[in-house]
Short mmCIF file of all heavy atoms in Angstrom, two decimals:
data_model
loop_
_atom_site.label_atom_id
_atom_site.label_comp_id
_atom_site.label_asym_id
_atom_site.label_seq_id
_atom_site.Cartn_x
_atom_site.Cartn_y
_atom_site.Cartn_z
N GLY A 79 9.37 -5.21 3.67
CA GLY A 79 8.09 -5.60 4.20
C GLY A 79 7.21 -4.42 4.57
O GLY A 79 7.56 -3.27 4.36
N SER A 80 6.05 -4.73 5.13
CA SER A 80 5.06 -3.73 5.48
C SER A 80 4.64 -3.87 6.93
O SER A 80 4.70 -4.96 7.51
CB SER A 80 3.83 -3.84 4.58
OG SER A 80 4.15 -3.62 3.22
N LEU A 81 4.20 -2.77 7.49
CA LEU A 81 3.72 -2.74 8.86
C LEU A 81 2.73 -1.60 9.00
O LEU A 81 2.92 -0.55 8.36
CB LEU A 81 4.90 -2.54 9.81
CG LEU A 81 4.80 -3.02 11.27
CD1 LEU A 81 4.57 -4.53 11.32
CD2 LEU A 81 6.06 -2.64 12.02
N THR A 82 1.70 -1.78 9.80
CA THR A 82 0.72 -0.73 10.04
C THR A 82 0.68 -0.40 11.52
O THR A 82 0.47 -1.27 12.36
CB THR A 82 -0.68 -1.15 9.57
OG1 THR A 82 -0.67 -1.41 8.16
CG2 THR A 82 -1.68 -0.03 9.84
N LEU A 83 0.89 0.87 11.84
CA LEU A 83 0.79 1.35 13.20
C LEU A 83 -0.57 1.97 13.43
O LEU A 83 -1.15 2.58 12.54
CB LEU A 83 1.88 2.40 13.48
CG LEU A 83 3.32 1.99 13.20
CD1 LEU A 83 4.26 3.13 13.59
CD2 LEU A 83 3.68 0.71 13.92
N SER A 84 -1.08 1.82 14.64
CA SER A 84 -2.34 2.43 15.03
C SER A 84 -2.13 3.30 16.26
O SER A 84 -1.30 2.99 17.11
CB SER A 84 -3.40 1.36 15.34
OG SER A 84 -3.68 0.57 14.21
N CYS A 85 -2.89 4.36 16.34
CA CYS A 85 -2.87 5.25 17.50
C CYS A 85 -4.31 5.53 17.89
O CYS A 85 -5.04 6.15 17.12
CB CYS A 85 -2.13 6.54 17.18
SG CYS A 85 -2.24 7.82 18.46
N THR A 86 -4.70 5.07 19.06
CA THR A 86 -6.06 5.25 19.53
C THR A 86 -6.08 6.26 20.67
O THR A 86 -5.29 6.16 21.61
CB THR A 86 -6.66 3.91 20.00
OG1 THR A 86 -6.71 3.00 18.90
CG2 THR A 86 -8.08 4.13 20.52
N ALA A 87 -6.98 7.21 20.58
CA ALA A 87 -7.11 8.26 21.58
C ALA A 87 -8.26 7.97 22.52
O ALA A 87 -9.28 7.39 22.13
CB ALA A 87 -7.32 9.61 20.90
N SER A 88 -8.09 8.38 23.75
CA SER A 88 -9.15 8.28 24.74
C SER A 88 -9.24 9.60 25.51
O SER A 88 -8.32 10.41 25.47
CB SER A 88 -8.92 7.12 25.70
OG SER A 88 -7.72 7.30 26.44
N GLY A 89 -10.33 9.79 26.20
CA GLY A 89 -10.52 11.01 26.97
C GLY A 89 -11.43 12.01 26.29
O GLY A 89 -12.21 12.69 26.96
N ARG A 90 -11.31 12.11 24.98
CA ARG A 90 -12.16 12.99 24.19
C ARG A 90 -12.02 12.64 22.72
O ARG A 90 -11.06 11.96 22.32
CB ARG A 90 -11.85 14.46 24.42
CG ARG A 90 -10.44 14.87 24.05
CD ARG A 90 -10.20 16.35 24.27
NE ARG A 90 -11.02 17.16 23.37
CZ ARG A 90 -11.03 18.49 23.36
NH1 ARG A 90 -10.28 19.17 24.22
NH2 ARG A 90 -11.79 19.15 22.50
N THR A 91 -12.93 13.12 21.90
CA THR A 91 -12.86 12.87 20.48
C THR A 91 -11.69 13.62 19.86
O THR A 91 -11.31 14.69 20.32
CB THR A 91 -14.17 13.29 19.79
OG1 THR A 91 -14.06 13.07 18.38
CG2 THR A 91 -14.47 14.77 20.03
N ILE A 92 -11.12 13.05 18.80
CA ILE A 92 -10.05 13.72 18.06
C ILE A 92 -10.59 14.39 16.81
O ILE A 92 -9.81 14.80 15.94
CB ILE A 92 -8.92 12.74 17.67
CG1 ILE A 92 -9.45 11.62 16.77
CG2 ILE A 92 -8.25 12.17 18.92
CD1 ILE A 92 -8.35 10.79 16.11
N ARG A 93 -11.89 14.53 16.71
CA ARG A 93 -12.51 15.11 15.52
C ARG A 93 -11.91 16.46 15.16
O ARG A 93 -11.74 16.78 13.98
CB ARG A 93 -14.02 15.23 15.73
CG ARG A 93 -14.75 15.95 14.60
CD ARG A 93 -16.24 15.92 14.79
NE ARG A 93 -16.77 14.58 14.66
CZ ARG A 93 -18.06 14.25 14.77
NH1 ARG A 93 -18.95 15.21 15.02
NH2 ARG A 93 -18.45 13.01 14.63
N ASN A 94 -11.60 17.28 16.16
CA ASN A 94 -11.09 18.62 15.92
C ASN A 94 -9.58 18.73 16.12
O ASN A 94 -9.06 19.83 16.33
CB ASN A 94 -11.81 19.63 16.81
CG ASN A 94 -13.29 19.73 16.48
OD1 ASN A 94 -13.68 19.68 15.31
ND2 ASN A 94 -14.12 19.87 17.50
N PHE A 95 -8.88 17.60 16.05
CA PHE A 95 -7.44 17.57 16.26
C PHE A 95 -6.70 17.23 14.99
O PHE A 95 -7.11 16.35 14.23
CB PHE A 95 -7.07 16.54 17.34
CG PHE A 95 -7.31 17.01 18.74
CD1 PHE A 95 -8.59 17.13 19.24
CD2 PHE A 95 -6.24 17.32 19.56
CE1 PHE A 95 -8.82 17.57 20.54
CE2 PHE A 95 -6.45 17.76 20.86
CZ PHE A 95 -7.73 17.88 21.35
N ASP A 96 -5.59 17.93 14.75
CA ASP A 96 -4.62 17.51 13.76
C ASP A 96 -3.77 16.41 14.40
O ASP A 96 -3.45 16.47 15.58
CB ASP A 96 -3.72 18.66 13.34
CG ASP A 96 -4.49 19.80 12.71
OD1 ASP A 96 -5.51 19.56 12.04
OD2 ASP A 96 -4.05 20.97 12.87
N MET A 97 -3.40 15.40 13.60
CA MET A 97 -2.66 14.26 14.13
C MET A 97 -1.36 14.08 13.35
O MET A 97 -1.29 14.37 12.16
CB MET A 97 -3.49 12.98 14.02
CG MET A 97 -4.86 13.05 14.68
SD MET A 97 -4.77 13.22 16.48
CE MET A 97 -4.02 11.66 16.94
N GLY A 98 -0.35 13.58 14.04
CA GLY A 98 0.93 13.37 13.40
C GLY A 98 1.66 12.16 13.92
O GLY A 98 1.36 11.64 15.00
N TRP A 99 2.61 11.69 13.12
CA TRP A 99 3.54 10.63 13.52
C TRP A 99 4.96 11.18 13.48
O TRP A 99 5.34 11.86 12.52
CB TRP A 99 3.44 9.42 12.60
CG TRP A 99 2.20 8.59 12.79
CD1 TRP A 99 1.05 8.64 12.07
CD2 TRP A 99 2.02 7.55 13.76
NE1 TRP A 99 0.15 7.71 12.53
CE2 TRP A 99 0.72 7.03 13.57
CE3 TRP A 99 2.82 7.02 14.78
CZ2 TRP A 99 0.20 6.00 14.35
CZ3 TRP A 99 2.31 5.99 15.56
CH2 TRP A 99 1.02 5.49 15.34
N PHE A 100 5.72 10.87 14.51
CA PHE A 100 7.12 11.22 14.61
C PHE A 100 7.91 9.97 14.95
O PHE A 100 7.34 8.97 15.39
CB PHE A 100 7.33 12.30 15.68
CG PHE A 100 6.65 13.60 15.38
CD1 PHE A 100 5.28 13.75 15.54
CD2 PHE A 100 7.38 14.70 14.94
CE1 PHE A 100 4.65 14.95 15.27
CE2 PHE A 100 6.76 15.91 14.66
CZ PHE A 100 5.40 16.03 14.83
N ARG A 101 9.22 10.02 14.77
CA ARG A 101 10.04 8.88 15.13
C ARG A 101 11.39 9.35 15.66
O ARG A 101 11.84 10.45 15.36
CB ARG A 101 10.25 7.93 13.94
CG ARG A 101 11.08 8.50 12.80
CD ARG A 101 11.08 7.55 11.61
NE ARG A 101 11.90 8.03 10.52
CZ ARG A 101 11.97 7.46 9.32
NH1 ARG A 101 11.26 6.36 9.07
NH2 ARG A 101 12.76 7.97 8.39
N GLN A 102 12.01 8.49 16.46
CA GLN A 102 13.30 8.81 17.05
C GLN A 102 14.15 7.56 17.12
O GLN A 102 13.76 6.57 17.74
CB GLN A 102 13.13 9.41 18.45
CG GLN A 102 14.43 9.90 19.06
CD GLN A 102 14.18 10.70 20.33
OE1 GLN A 102 13.17 10.53 21.00
NE2 GLN A 102 15.12 11.58 20.66
#
């Protein structure tokens, strides 16, 4: 099957940020 995860940031824009997903 399929699933979509979302990550929403607050506090400031993520325009200048590199983003990643990790798992454990």
Side-chain angles (χ1 to χ4, degrees):
S80 298
L81 204 61
T82 299
L83 306 182
S84 298
C85 172
T86 298
S88 62
R90 61 179 294 179
T91 178
I92 61 167
R93 174 174 292 181
N94 296 321
F95 282 72
D96 299 328
M97 305 294 295
W99 287 97
F100 297 76
R101 67 187 182 187
Q102 186 170 25

